[in-house]
Amino acid sequence: MLPARVFAVAPLALVILALSGCSSLWGCTDTTAERGEAGVRVQVVDTDGRSLGVTAAVVDWSLEPHPQVPSEGDRVHFHFRFDGADEYSDPAVDACAVDKERVALGCRTVYSSGAWSEPDGALTGDEWLAVEHPEQVAGVLLIPNDRSYDPRTCETDIKDGGGTHPPEPAGMGDQL
């Protein structure tokens, strides 16, 4: 028979284990957010689908040789704008050149921190996309999911990892 002292200490030991994170071995889960609807102008959303109060837009785009490597032929040169982003936030969205069927021909992530401040408070910038068949490009679309923060996974950090992660980055051949 166990002494009464053991029964009195056992609940305290369980509380200490729970608070120390040892119980997270059974509670760590990773989920992936669903990719939002791509568009020329999108409301940037977090991994829970909530608006960050930031709008990202493709202002214009063109096909032209990149000035540093003109011999490589035409690339997609596009200008983008973030409204509502500030110096403390750094939202990022995937930008994809698409064909007339909205199939991605090439993508890259654009960050508001890589843009310049405008007098109206917006942040604007430009980027280049190399695509295999530039003649097929019908437009540039943005995917609204914020890519600026991706928490640690359970696999990399069982104690502090887990949670909802941004969707997989869009890539060539993805239907947007």
Short mmCIF file of all heavy atoms in Angstrom, two decimals, residues 72 74-76 97 105-108 128-134 172:
data_model
loop_
_atom_site.label_atom_id
_atom_site.label_comp_id
_atom_site.label_asym_id
_atom_site.label_seq_id
_atom_site.Cartn_x
_atom_site.Cartn_y
_atom_site.Cartn_z
N GLU A 72 18.97 37.15 -72.41
CA GLU A 72 18.11 36.03 -72.02
C GLU A 72 16.67 36.20 -72.51
O GLU A 72 15.83 35.36 -72.23
CB GLU A 72 18.15 35.85 -70.50
CG GLU A 72 19.51 35.37 -70.01
CD GLU A 72 19.55 35.14 -68.51
OE1 GLU A 72 18.51 35.30 -67.84
OE2 GLU A 72 20.64 34.81 -68.02
N ASP A 74 12.81 38.05 -73.20
CA ASP A 74 11.77 38.70 -72.41
C ASP A 74 11.52 38.00 -71.08
O ASP A 74 11.56 36.78 -70.97
CB ASP A 74 10.45 38.72 -73.19
CG ASP A 74 10.44 39.81 -74.24
OD1 ASP A 74 11.29 40.71 -74.19
OD2 ASP A 74 9.56 39.75 -75.12
N ARG A 75 11.25 38.83 -70.09
CA ARG A 75 10.81 38.40 -68.77
C ARG A 75 9.58 39.21 -68.42
O ARG A 75 9.28 40.22 -69.04
CB ARG A 75 11.89 38.65 -67.72
CG ARG A 75 13.10 37.74 -67.90
CD ARG A 75 14.04 37.87 -66.76
NE ARG A 75 15.19 36.98 -66.93
CZ ARG A 75 16.13 36.83 -66.06
NH1 ARG A 75 16.10 37.50 -64.93
NH2 ARG A 75 17.13 36.00 -66.29
N VAL A 76 8.89 38.75 -67.39
CA VAL A 76 7.71 39.47 -66.91
C VAL A 76 8.18 40.49 -65.88
O VAL A 76 8.76 40.14 -64.86
CB VAL A 76 6.68 38.50 -66.27
CG1 VAL A 76 5.47 39.27 -65.79
CG2 VAL A 76 6.30 37.41 -67.26
N ALA A 97 2.94 34.80 -62.71
CA ALA A 97 2.57 35.06 -64.09
C ALA A 97 1.70 33.88 -64.51
O ALA A 97 2.04 32.72 -64.24
CB ALA A 97 3.81 35.16 -64.96
N LEU A 105 2.77 30.14 -64.67
CA LEU A 105 3.94 29.92 -65.53
C LEU A 105 5.23 30.18 -64.76
O LEU A 105 6.30 29.74 -65.17
CB LEU A 105 3.87 30.83 -66.76
CG LEU A 105 2.61 30.67 -67.61
CD1 LEU A 105 2.56 31.77 -68.68
CD2 LEU A 105 2.58 29.29 -68.24
N GLY A 106 5.13 30.88 -63.66
CA GLY A 106 6.27 31.19 -62.80
C GLY A 106 5.80 32.05 -61.65
O GLY A 106 4.89 32.87 -61.81
N CYS A 107 6.38 31.86 -60.47
CA CYS A 107 5.94 32.58 -59.26
C CYS A 107 7.15 33.01 -58.44
O CYS A 107 8.22 32.41 -58.52
CB CYS A 107 5.06 31.69 -58.38
SG CYS A 107 3.56 31.09 -59.17
N ARG A 108 6.93 34.02 -57.62
CA ARG A 108 7.91 34.45 -56.62
C ARG A 108 7.17 35.17 -55.51
O ARG A 108 6.06 35.65 -55.71
CB ARG A 108 8.99 35.31 -57.23
CG ARG A 108 8.56 36.72 -57.57
CD ARG A 108 9.69 37.65 -58.01
NE ARG A 108 10.77 37.62 -57.08
CZ ARG A 108 12.06 37.48 -57.45
NH1 ARG A 108 12.37 37.41 -58.71
NH2 ARG A 108 13.00 37.46 -56.56
N TRP A 128 10.79 40.97 -61.22
CA TRP A 128 10.90 40.29 -62.51
C TRP A 128 10.65 38.81 -62.33
O TRP A 128 11.06 38.23 -61.32
CB TRP A 128 12.30 40.48 -63.08
CG TRP A 128 12.65 41.90 -63.40
CD1 TRP A 128 13.08 42.85 -62.53
CD2 TRP A 128 12.58 42.51 -64.67
NE1 TRP A 128 13.29 44.02 -63.19
CE2 TRP A 128 13.00 43.84 -64.52
CE3 TRP A 128 12.20 42.06 -65.95
CZ2 TRP A 128 13.05 44.74 -65.57
CZ3 TRP A 128 12.27 42.95 -67.00
CH2 TRP A 128 12.68 44.28 -66.82
N LEU A 129 9.98 38.22 -63.30
CA LEU A 129 9.74 36.77 -63.32
C LEU A 129 10.26 36.21 -64.63
O LEU A 129 9.90 36.70 -65.71
CB LEU A 129 8.25 36.46 -63.23
CG LEU A 129 7.58 36.55 -61.89
CD1 LEU A 129 6.07 36.54 -62.04
CD2 LEU A 129 8.01 35.39 -61.01
N ALA A 130 11.10 35.20 -64.53
CA ALA A 130 11.54 34.50 -65.73
C ALA A 130 10.58 33.33 -65.95
O ALA A 130 10.33 32.55 -65.04
CB ALA A 130 12.96 33.98 -65.56
N VAL A 131 10.02 33.25 -67.15
CA VAL A 131 9.12 32.15 -67.49
C VAL A 131 9.61 31.51 -68.77
O VAL A 131 10.24 32.16 -69.60
CB VAL A 131 7.65 32.63 -67.63
CG1 VAL A 131 7.12 33.15 -66.30
CG2 VAL A 131 7.49 33.65 -68.71
N GLU A 132 9.31 30.24 -68.92
CA GLU A 132 9.79 29.48 -70.08
C GLU A 132 9.20 29.97 -71.39
O GLU A 132 9.88 30.04 -72.41
CB GLU A 132 9.47 27.99 -69.88
CG GLU A 132 10.20 27.10 -70.85
CD GLU A 132 10.04 25.63 -70.50
OE1 GLU A 132 9.93 25.30 -69.30
OE2 GLU A 132 10.01 24.83 -71.43
N HIS A 133 7.92 30.32 -71.37
CA HIS A 133 7.23 30.78 -72.58
C HIS A 133 6.57 32.13 -72.32
O HIS A 133 5.36 32.20 -72.08
CB HIS A 133 6.19 29.75 -73.03
CG HIS A 133 6.78 28.43 -73.40
ND1 HIS A 133 7.47 28.23 -74.58
CD2 HIS A 133 6.81 27.25 -72.74
CE1 HIS A 133 7.88 26.97 -74.64
NE2 HIS A 133 7.50 26.37 -73.52
N PRO A 134 7.32 33.22 -72.39
CA PRO A 134 6.74 34.53 -72.07
C PRO A 134 5.56 34.91 -72.96
O PRO A 134 4.67 35.64 -72.52
CB PRO A 134 7.90 35.51 -72.25
CG PRO A 134 9.02 34.75 -72.83
CD PRO A 134 8.73 33.30 -72.73
N MET A 172 4.89 26.53 -60.91
CA MET A 172 4.57 26.35 -62.32
C MET A 172 3.59 25.19 -62.50
O MET A 172 3.79 24.12 -61.93
CB MET A 172 5.86 26.09 -63.11
CG MET A 172 5.67 26.23 -64.58
SD MET A 172 7.21 26.34 -65.50
CE MET A 172 7.92 24.76 -65.20
#
